């Protein structure tokens, strides 16, 4: 018999076994309902304790009666005595169930319970002869029936697709996954606390936009039936937040979902969480200082250290982060100095010497765009320790303020760790005339087929004409930061419900 035939036969056998289990569990439910004990009629249970609290504070609970609730993760029946593992939202504890202590009829009902059933348990805390903290159970109440069996070895599955599609099962079976999302919540809370303590106000801005702006990205398009207009899911809240600074709010931030209709990989999901903050009378250097201090503070608070390991690489979030211009970084890692490039033609020749290829049929790139391309393809991946890259070309920074003494570059930075970008910030452009001209150049790119270019936002220009104070702005990708601080290799590991293609597609 071929290996393929064996696999097919194994799948058929597994499906038959599963169908039999499903049938038996539904029969058990029907019998309970016929006896007037429908578990789905239970509306609440007086859960008074959690398993982790009992285990961690055993001295306070020894010999005392506790009332816990959770899911049966295992069940070992040995005649008149049984053991089971109960898992709740905080941890797990062993149950010791004896017929003589529970009563004959309740014990019979207990033996009919299935792994995965959710139960309420009352009993006395003690330690077994083997030294395991347990609950000597006197009462078990079925609170919800599990009609599907739990996978026996879910943690070891190589089918990550199934884990992402059925995150609820992943959370049940894999404590490390649950811990990742608990840490995610703590990280987001720590960021909010950090900003709130420094006078920032959290605000909310529209997710449905008539003009997508604030970043270079392809938007998702939808249609508003009542207004009969196309609208876009936001790609960034930036332009709305800066309107608020114009209005007089000096420190604002928003943490929430953004949507970009672009590629998917281990670093990108079509919808993701970001935080953007803006501070009046500040510049990009203030934002650099804030970024470094905030990440360091959050790591210390959530992890208890600023020394972390990610994908086998030791990282130091505590020491001062390197700050280097984009052009100097290219020179440092390639030996080619683009300061010497007089124009785009010379810059292109220098890039070609580094093996960068150009599409001869495409629109020619400017000098600044070529410098950015070389940096992206030859430098980014080499930035392992936390590094601020500053001085971005104006052509790729339509919302950033130019250097007064070097107008081809902007007061902008991005922060890189392990070759990935974690944050983007700049001294905000507040010159409405310059801003309108840059928008117009973006429009021209869009007309030539660049669907990631910005649209003209006349109302935003109008807001700038009322006067935007000197302002520093910063955006940080929350998902990537969570990946870093939890040691997760894929963005899907830190999103509870990542975007997935339907199975029938």
């Amino acid at each position: 018999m071929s290996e393929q035939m064996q696999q097919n036969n194994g799948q058929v056998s597994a499906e038959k076994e599963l169908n039999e289990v499903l049938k038996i569990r539904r029969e058990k439910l029907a019998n309970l309902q016929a006896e007037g004990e429908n578990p789905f009629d239970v509306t609440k249970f007086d859960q008074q304790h959690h398993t982790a609290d009992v285990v961690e504070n055993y001295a306070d609970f020894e010999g005392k009666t506790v009332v816990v609730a959770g899911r049966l993760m295992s069940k070992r029946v040995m005649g008149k005595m049984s053991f089971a593992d109960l898992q709740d939202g905080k941890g797990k504890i062993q149950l010791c169930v004896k017929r003589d202590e529970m009563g004959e009829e309740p014990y019979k009902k207990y033996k009919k319970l299935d792994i995965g059933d959710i139960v309420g348990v009352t009993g006395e805390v003690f330690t077994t002869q083997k030294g395991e903290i347990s609950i000597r159970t006197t009462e078990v109440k079925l609170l919800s029936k599990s009609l599907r069996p739990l996978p026996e070895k879910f943690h070891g599955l190589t089918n990550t697709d199934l884990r992402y599609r059925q995150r609820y099962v992943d959370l049940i079976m894999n404590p490390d996954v649950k811990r990742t999302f608990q840490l995610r919540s703590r990280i987001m809370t720590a960021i909010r606390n950090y900003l709130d303590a420094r006078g920032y106000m959290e605000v909310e801005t529209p997710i449905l936009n008539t003009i997508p702006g604030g970043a270079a990205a392809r938007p998702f398009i939808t249609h508003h039936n009542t207004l009969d207009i196309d609208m876009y899911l936001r790609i960034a809240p930036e332009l709305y937040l800066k309107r608020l600074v114009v209005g007089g709010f000096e420190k604002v931030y928003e943490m929430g979902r953004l949507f970009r209709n672009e590629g998917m990989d281990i670093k990108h999901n079509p919808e993701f969480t970001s935080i953007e903050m803006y501070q009046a009378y500040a510049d990009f250097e203030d934002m650099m200082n804030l970024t470094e201090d905030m990440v360091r503070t959050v790591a210390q608070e959530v992890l208890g250290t600023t020394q972390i390991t990610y994908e086998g690489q030791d990282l130091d979030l505590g020491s001062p982060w390197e700050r280097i211009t984009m052009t100097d970084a290219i020179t440092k890692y390639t030996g080619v100095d683009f300061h010497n490039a007089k124009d785009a033609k010379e810059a292109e020749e220098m890039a070609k010497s580094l093996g960068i290829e150009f599409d001869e049929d495409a629109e020619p790139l400017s000098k600044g765009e070529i410098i950015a391309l070389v940096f992206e393809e030859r430098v980014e991946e080499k930035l392992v320790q936390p590094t601020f890259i500053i001085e971005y070309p104006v052509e790729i920074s339509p919302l950033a303020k130019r250097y007064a003494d070097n107008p081809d570059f902007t007061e902008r930075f991005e922060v890189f760790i392990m070759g990935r970008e974690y944050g983007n910030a700049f001294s905000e452009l507040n010159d409405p005339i310059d801003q309108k001209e840059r928008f117009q150049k973006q429009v021209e790119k869009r007309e030539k087929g660049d669907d990631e270019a910005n649209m003209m936002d006349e109302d935003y220009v109008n807001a700038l004409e009322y006067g935007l104070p000197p302002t520093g702005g910063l955006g940080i990708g929350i998902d990537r930061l969570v990946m870093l601080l939890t040691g997760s290799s894929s963005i899907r590991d830190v999103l509870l419900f990542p975007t997935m293609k339907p199975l029938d597609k």
Side-chain angles (χ1 to χ4, degrees), residues 328-453:
D328 287 343
I330 292 173
T331 304
K332 177 180 178 179
Y333 289 101
T334 71
V336 177
D337 188 351
F338 279 82
H339 289 106
N340 298 325
K342 297 177 182 179
D343 51 29
K345 184 176 181 180
E346 283 195 15
E348 182 173 328
E349 291 304 315
M350 296 167 72
K352 287 180 177 178
S353 72
L354 294 172
I356 303 295
E357 297 181 356
F358 292 84
D359 184 352
E360 302 300 332
D361 297 326
E363 187 75 17
L365 299 180
S366 66
K367 175 182 172 181
E369 289 171 326
I370 293 171
I371 290 174
L373 177 64
V374 172
F375 170 78
E376 181 180 336
E377 296 198 8
R378 293 294 180 267
V379 179
E380 273 191 19
E381 64 181 10
K382 299 174 182 177
L383 303 176
V384 176
Q385 296 297 327
T387 304
F388 290 111
I389 298 296
I390 62 176
E391 288 190 15
Y392 274 62
V394 68
E395 295 93 333
I396 63 167
S397 309
L399 298 167
K401 183 173 289 190
R402 300 173 192 258
Y403 281 96
D405 58 351
N406 190 8
D408 290 338
F409 293 87
T410 61
E411 294 187 2
R412 175 185 175 186
F413 77 77
E414 287 185 320
V415 59
F416 291 87
I417 307 173
M418 290 291 291
R420 297 176 182 175
E421 182 251 315
Y422 282 82
N424 182 26
F426 28 85
S427 300
E428 301 298 331
L429 176 62
N430 60 349
D431 179 344
I433 299 171
D434 188 359
Q435 181 64 82
K436 188 165 186 175
E437 291 175 352
R438 294 200 215 177
F439 272 149
Q440 187 57 49
K441 290 181 179 179
Q442 292 287 303
V443 170
E444 291 169 3
K445 286 185 176 182
R446 198 171 189 87
E447 290 173 347
K448 293 177 180 178
D450 184 353
D451 54 7
E452 292 188 355

Side-chain angles (χ1 to χ4, degrees), residues 49-55 58 61-70 81-88 92-98 101-102 110 120-128 132-140:
H49 310 92
H50 280 90
T51 58
D53 298 331
V54 173
V55 173
Y58 175 71
F61 285 96
E62 183 181 12
K64 295 181 180 179
T65 297
V66 295
V67 181
V68 296
M81 183 176 180
S82 300
F83 289 96
D85 288 320
L86 181 82
Q87 178 175 288
D88 61 16
K92 186 185 293 185
I93 198 168
Q94 178 174 267
L95 306 180
C96 178
V97 188
K98 295 182 179 180
E101 293 177 352
M102 177 179 280
Y110 162 78
V121 173
T122 302
E124 181 183 302
V125 179
F126 78 110
T127 302
T128 66
E132 184 166 356
I133 297 173
S134 307
I135 297 176
R136 184 178 287 110
T137 305
T138 56
E139 183 180 353
V140 177

Side-chain angles (χ1 to χ4, degrees), residues 447-488:
E447 290 173 347
K448 293 177 180 178
D450 184 353
D451 54 7
E452 292 188 355
N454 282 254
M455 294 182 181
M456 175 64 72
D457 191 333
E458 294 284 2
D459 182 73
Y460 178 67
V461 174
N462 187 64
L464 292 185
E465 290 179 348
Y466 280 93
L468 172 68
T471 299
L474 166 66
I476 294 177
I478 295 296
D479 304 317
R480 289 189 183 179
L481 182 59
V482 173
M483 288 170 62
L484 181 71
L485 297 182
T486 60
S488 303

